[in-house]
Amino acid sequence: MARFNTFIKIVITFSSLVSLVTLEKLVNRSLHRRQRAHLQGEKDTKWNLLELSNISSSTDQESVTLNSSEDIFSTSGRRDGVFHRLNERLSALVALDEQQSKHLESLEYRFTKLEVQSQERAENIRSELREISRRVQQLDWQSSKVESLLDTLKEDTTFLRQSFDQLRSTVTISSANTNLKYIANEALVETQNKFQILQMSVQVIRSSIVDVSNEISLLKLNVSKIANSTSEILTQTKQLPTTKLLNTKFLESRSLARGQEDVCTIEHQRIGEEQWSDCWDIFQNGQKESGIYKIRPSSSTYSFYVYCEMQSNDGGWTVLQNRHEGASDFYKDWQEYKLGFGNLLGEFWLGLRHIHAITRHKLYELLIELKDHEGNKVYASYDSFAIGSQEEGYALKILGKYTGNAGDSLVYHAGQKFSTMDVDNDNWLDGNCAVSHTGAWWYNGCDTSNLNGRYLNGDLPEDYNFQGIYWYDWHGPNYSLMETRMSIRPRDRPTFQIQATTYKSSSPGTMD
């Protein structure tokens, strides 16, 4: 009997400890998972603690007295009741956890589907916008040709009127001669008929010009509407939660349900506290994923964000300029080009200030990648590159030896200061190259390359020559390229072999 009583005391004590530990875990999980049921859960927890306290006191009394087996079994029954209620509540919370997990998975699927649909819609709108822009350029060209033809017709009309007047005077002088008068009348009638036909042709041409003008106005209005819709869609797309964000939140909720911490980290926390001088430094420290990183160049007093290309051409490239769809307007003033503009995950200019800070204390190589609207790709590589300070006009101070298959269309600009629409540093005495060529560049007088020009489509009408994105030695100034990217990397590193037709990149819409 004494052994039995001792065994009962051990069982009661162990069960009480297990109940207390289980209850503590249950309270923690309830606090994290069910905020709406916080007050009710707190009441139930206090009641359970009170019950366990009563059981514990009863257990202590029983461990001292143990007067009868009936009291022991009565206490055991009360304890079993508490355990049963706790088990029911635990089962309900587990079921709720599973239900919430399924709900989060459903939300993740819906947001992924919505994200894909938004991207497809945006791409369709971009394609339609490019086609409309091409049609507008074609209509402008046709309109100029029709106007030229109309001027020619006006000159012919004037000449015919003069001939008609001369003929009339001739008929008047020779009216005595009947035969000559008859012939003159026939010639006069024929001339009048031709003149009427010519007048009808002029009216038809004028009507066609009006129709073309109306169609151009309508197309410009549609382009404006599509541009606004595209901007709104892009803004809404950026506000939508991504799949990666949903996965992160899902893992966080799962970790809170289990009382765990630090299960997952946000992607951009990979930057950490370490100061990197450029993308090659980041690449050397084991970061192999292309994306946005924060750097602080040597001797620089500030840090800033850059896009790093880590996958193509052996990785470690700091991207200075990226264009691929015309979403960003590159016809901007000096301040914009000094500080940089655009979206680092899309089209952007890093900024002259930042480029100078990077190339100031280390020798870098420059890689320029080009792509036309037919999908052909070429590149131009220079084994050294650096620009001056603001006091020096951010001049292209260092430009090394050229290699590549695009042709050397940058050497003409070596040593030149940077020019924009409001700061004219070029050598053209009769005007501003940035205004005339609608861009910003290290213009000389004026250029053989214009990678910050207007985003146009392929072959250009004569009126748009020298205004697009062009590289003189590849397609020339009468063709606007589709994609460009300028990147730098320290020269003191192992050499690499560029494959002009197999660029790889994780940056959206860039050379891939």
Side-chain angles (χ1 to χ4, degrees):
M1 187 64 181
R3 292 182 178 178
F4 177 77
N5 292 335
T6 301
F7 175 77
I8 291 297
K9 288 196 292 181
I10 293 172
V11 170
I12 293 172
T13 303
F14 178 77
S15 300
S16 299
L17 292 174
V18 171
S19 300
L20 288 173
V21 172
T22 304
L23 183 59
E24 182 180 359
K25 291 183 178 180
L26 182 61
V27 170
N28 289 333
R29 293 183 64 185
S30 300
L31 288 175
H32 285 290
R33 296 291 291 166
R34 299 290 294 171
Q35 292 182 359
R36 292 182 297 180
H38 176 71
L39 295 176
Q40 185 65 34
E42 185 178 1
K43 292 179 180 180
D44 294 341
T45 302
K46 290 180 179 180
W47 184 84
N48 291 332
L49 287 172
L50 181 61
E51 288 292 326
L52 288 174
S53 177
N54 294 334
I55 295 174
S56 178
S57 61
S58 299
T59 304
D60 292 338
Q61 294 176 1
E62 289 170 357
S63 64
V64 176
T65 56
L66 293 175
N67 292 325
S68 64
S69 60
E70 294 180 357
D71 294 336
I72 293 173
F73 289 116
S74 176
T75 302
S76 177
R78 293 173 59 190
R79 185 182 65 254
D80 291 340
V82 173
F83 288 163
H84 180 68
R85 287 193 294 273
L86 289 175
N87 188 33
E88 290 179 349
R89 185 168 180 81
L90 182 61
S91 300
L93 288 174
V94 170
L96 183 62
D97 179 42
E98 294 178 352
Q99 183 179 0
Q100 189 171 2
S101 298
K102 293 179 180 179
H103 184 62
L104 287 172
E105 291 175 354
S106 177
L107 285 177
E108 179 186 3
Y109 171 76
R110 293 178 182 177
F111 277 121
T112 302
K113 184 177 180 180
L114 181 59
E115 182 181 0
V116 172
Q117 291 176 349
S118 300
Q119 292 176 352
E120 291 178 352
R121 184 179 178 186
E123 183 62 30
N124 292 334
I125 290 177
R126 292 193 196 100
S127 300
E128 185 176 355
L129 187 61
R130 294 193 192 101
E131 179 64 22
I132 290 177
S133 177
R134 186 189 64 80
R135 290 183 59 192
V136 167
Q137 294 176 14
Q138 186 177 5
L139 287 174
D140 284 339
W141 180 77
Q142 291 177 353
S143 177
S144 63
K145 300 291 282 187
V146 170
E147 289 178 355
S148 177
L149 180 61
L150 183 59
D151 292 337
T152 304
L153 289 174
K154 286 182 178 179
E155 294 176 358
D156 293 341
T157 302
T158 303
F159 176 75
L160 286 174
R161 284 179 179 176
Q162 294 175 354
S163 300
F164 180 72
D165 293 337
Q166 292 176 358
L167 183 61
R168 179 178 293 176
S169 62
T170 302
V171 171
T172 302
I173 294 174
S174 59
S175 57
N177 192 333
T178 306
N179 293 331
L180 182 61
K181 185 176 181 180
Y182 177 76
I183 296 172
N185 287 334
E186 287 185 351
L188 182 62
V189 171
E190 184 178 358
T191 303
Q192 288 178 343
N193 292 334
K194 290 182 177 180
F195 183 73
Q196 291 177 355
I197 293 173
L198 183 60
Q199 284 183 329
M200 293 177 60
S201 300
V202 171
Q203 292 177 355
V204 171
I205 291 175
R206 286 180 177 175
S207 177
S208 300
I209 291 175
V210 172
D211 293 339
V212 169
S213 300
N214 293 334
E215 187 173 358
I216 290 175
S217 300
L218 182 61
L219 285 174
K220 289 181 178 179
L221 179 62
N222 292 334
V223 168
S224 177
K225 291 181 179 180
I226 291 175
N228 294 333
S229 300
T230 303
S231 177
E232 293 177 359
I233 289 174
L234 291 175
T235 302
Q236 294 175 1
T237 303
K238 292 176 182 178
Q239 295 175 353
L240 289 175
T242 61
T243 304
K244 185 176 293 183
L245 178 61
L246 285 174
N247 290 334
T248 301
K249 296 300 181 182
F250 179 70
L251 290 175
E252 287 177 354
S253 63
R254 295 290 297 266
S255 64
L256 289 175
R258 291 172 173 78
Q260 298 175 353
E261 296 180 353
D262 299 327
V263 172
C264 61
T265 57
I266 300 176
E267 178 184 3
H268 292 298
Q269 289 178 349
R270 64 179 181 225
I271 297 175
E273 300 297 330
E274 186 175 358
Q275 293 292 336
W276 291 314
S277 60
D278 53 31
C279 292
W280 176 252
D281 191 11
I282 299 173
F283 185 80
Q284 290 295 96
N285 281 273
Q287 298 291 345
K288 308 299 183 183
E289 182 180 355
S290 297
I292 299 175
Y293 294 84
K294 189 176 184 180
I295 66 172
R296 182 175 181 178
S298 303
S299 302
S300 176
T301 59
Y302 64 97
S303 302
F304 53 91
Y305 289 96
V306 297
Y307 185 87
C308 296
E309 174 54 54
M310 302 297 198
Q311 297 177 359
S312 65
N313 301 320
D314 293 345
W317 294 95
T318 303
V319 181
L320 308 182
Q321 183 246 40
N322 187 44
R323 304 187 70 180
H324 58 86
E325 62 181 0
S328 294
D329 182 14
F330 274 63
Y331 188 47
K332 296 183 179 294
D333 58 22
W334 179 268
Q335 191 69 9
E336 295 271 12
Y337 270 94
K338 172 186 173 182
L339 301 179
F341 57 86
N343 181 4
L344 288 176
L345 290 177
E347 295 189 326
F348 67 90
W349 172 262
L350 183 60
L352 295 167
R353 181 189 180 195
H354 302 330
I355 298 173
H356 170 66
I358 297 173
T359 61
R360 181 180 179 183
H361 297 291
K362 192 185 297 185
L363 196 58
Y364 283 82
E365 59 181 328
L366 172 66
L367 174 63
I368 298 177
E369 302 166 87
L370 308 173
K371 180 180 179 181
D372 62 18
H373 291 271
E374 289 72 37
N376 302 311
K377 303 175 186 178
V378 294
Y379 75 96
S381 178
Y382 298 86
D383 63 3
S384 57
F385 169 82
I387 68 172
S389 63
Q390 182 174 2
E391 291 73 16
E392 297 171 309
Y394 295 115
L396 185 54
K397 295 182 64 176
I398 299 177
L399 186 67
K401 180 181 178 181
Y402 160 81
T403 57
N405 57 0
D408 188 1
S409 294
L410 190 60
V411 66
Y412 177 71
H413 303 270
Q416 297 301 313
K417 296 180 180 180
F418 201 84
S419 295
T420 61
M421 65 168 72
D422 57 337
V423 177
D424 185 5
N425 289 325
D426 60 51
N427 295 329
W428 185 29
L429 300 180
D430 296 331
N432 185 344
C433 293
V435 175
S436 178
H437 292 192
T438 61
W441 199 243
W442 293 278
Y443 292 114
N444 190 338
C446 281
D447 56 44
T448 57
S449 58
N450 192 34
L451 299 188
N452 289 333
R454 294 174 61 183
Y455 192 91
L456 303 173
N457 293 308
D459 293 318
L460 303 177
E462 185 176 354
D463 294 342
Y464 290 89
N465 288 350
F466 296 96
Q467 295 186 15
I469 306 170
Y470 72 86
W471 191 261
Y472 193 88
D473 290 302
W474 193 54
H475 289 298
N478 303 333
Y479 186 95
S480 185
L481 300 174
M482 180 179 180
E483 296 182 13
T484 69
R485 182 167 63 186
M486 301 173 60
S487 309
I488 59 175
R489 184 171 60 180
R491 195 174 75 170
D492 297 334
R493 36 157 303 283
T495 58
F496 67 97
Q497 182 66 34
I498 300 178
Q499 298 295 331
T501 58
T502 58
Y503 293 129
K504 294 182 179 180
S505 170
S506 61
S507 178
T510 59
M511 307 285 181
D512 52 8

